Amino acid sequence: MSQLTKYVKDQIWIYDYPIRFASMDLFARMTIIKLDDEALMIHSPCEISDLLKDEIDAIGDVKYIVAPGSYHHLFVTSFQLKYPNAETFLCPGLERKRPDIKFDWILGNQPDHRWSNVLDQVVVQGTKYIWEVAFFHRPSKTLILVDLLENIGDNYKHPTDRLLRFWWKVVFKMWDNPKAAPEYQMGWGRKDIVKNGLNKILSWNAQRVILAHGELIESNVTNILRSAWRKVLGT
Ligand SMILES: [Fe+2]
């Protein structure tokens, strides 16, 4: 049985995987993007099995491994071991948080020339506890985030543990109410700087969102983003 889910025909695949974080069992999502030259970008990697590797190898060549956020670095080395010639790109700050991870590049506000004809990107920084690099897949108008938007509620297909339900429902009021991850909400920090990044994302006019935790969003994207980020945008 196929493990990867085709999301955009011949261009984007996704894969949900369980993780344990802050004493909670939850799911995260890896995204695989095929670039013009058949190279694959692995975005927010999972722990890779031989079975999954076979499936990935059937769709293209893994050339780029991307850790796009402060908390999405756990399985970079798992992919590096399977693909020693791939280049690794880190979200700014991870080079200090995870000095043990070997990397080639730090992601910036300009997309790398090897993917700039397909993807745009922006670093969302200025927040206190968590940064990430947002990507936009132009051909399919897909915004690719990790933690800037989480969408978990009654219709979520994966089981959610009691602790997560408590935090999402009672503390952060984000059950069936997409918001940025708690680490954002606990410290938006320099909102003027954060706002620059968020406005760049909004300027892309995405039609759908791949996010790391929760159901994908495929309609009403701009309104959902504006609502989720209203404490920064001031709208
Ligand atoms: Fe996350």
Side-chain angles (χ1 to χ4, degrees):
M1 197 181 94
S2 174
Q3 300 195 66
L4 297 174
T5 300
K6 289 175 194 164
Y7 188 62
V8 175
K9 191 173 184 294
D10 298 329
Q11 296 180 82
I12 299 179
W13 293 257
I14 52 179
Y15 176 72
D16 294 7
Y17 58 95
I19 53 166
R20 188 161 176 82
F21 175 75
S23 304
M24 295 186 294
D25 291 312
L26 69 159
F27 277 77
R29 183 171 287 117
M30 172 174 74
T31 303
I32 301 178
I33 303 139
K34 193 177 206 174
L35 305 171
D36 278 356
D37 61 355
E38 307 284 300
L40 299 182
M41 173 195 280
I42 305 295
H43 175 277
S44 189
C46 64
E47 188 155 29
I48 183 171
S49 64
D50 288 338
L51 202 62
L52 189 59
K53 182 176 186 299
D54 288 345
E55 217 176 309
I56 293 171
D57 292 344
I59 59 176
D61 299 326
V62 173
K63 293 247 178 95
Y64 313 115
I65 300 167
V66 173
S70 306
Y71 290 87
H72 284 255
H73 53 77
L74 296 176
F75 305 113
V76 167
T77 47
S78 173
F79 263 79
Q80 287 175 331
L81 289 171
K82 299 279 190 193
Y83 299 99
N85 296 323
E87 294 174 45
T88 297
F89 294 72
L90 300 184
C91 175
L94 277 179
E95 76 281 13
R96 295 188 296 276
K97 184 177 183 180
R98 288 292 308 273
D100 56 309
I101 295 181
K102 290 192 183 121
F103 67 95
D104 299 281
W105 308 94
I106 300 290
L107 294 159
N109 281 319
Q110 297 300 321
D112 187 280
H113 67 95
R114 283 149 323 162
W115 62 65
S116 58
N117 55 346
V118 174
L119 296 168
D120 202 351
Q121 69 188 59
V122 66
V123 184
V124 178
Q125 56 192 350
T127 43
K128 283 188 182 172
Y129 308 113
I130 178 171
W131 288 2
E132 77 180 75
V133 182
F135 287 87
F136 179 61
H137 185 254
R138 283 199 208 91
S140 64
K141 297 189 184 305
T142 304
L143 175 60
I144 306 170
L145 303 174
V146 279
D147 298 319
L148 269 166
L149 193 67
E150 299 187 336
N151 182 26
I152 296 177
D154 287 341
N155 294 328
Y156 190 37
K157 67 184 169 199
H158 297 299
T160 49
D161 76 19
R162 285 172 55 192
L163 188 56
L164 186 142
R165 280 171 183 261
F166 171 76
W167 285 107
W168 260 240
K169 282 187 177 181
V170 179
V171 181
F172 290 101
K173 312 259 189 287
M174 55 192 287
W175 189 262
D176 279 326
N177 181 27
K179 284 188 182 180
E183 293 87 348
Y184 282 110
Q185 297 184 51
M186 288 188 295
W188 282 111
R190 284 281 307 272
K191 289 183 182 173
D192 54 330
I193 298 173
V194 184
K195 196 172 179 176
N196 287 336
L198 300 184
N199 277 332
K200 176 78 189 272
I201 295 174
L202 290 167
S203 77
W204 291 329
N205 285 317
Q207 292 184 357
R208 44 188 165 182
V209 189
I210 295 175
L211 38 78
H213 312 289
E215 293 294 336
L216 307 175
I217 291 172
E218 297 179 319
S219 61
N220 204 21
V221 169
T222 298
N223 286 340
I224 290 170
L225 294 177
R226 284 192 175 280
S227 170
W229 300 335
R230 62 184 177 274
K231 286 195 174 155
V232 178
L233 298 172
T235 50

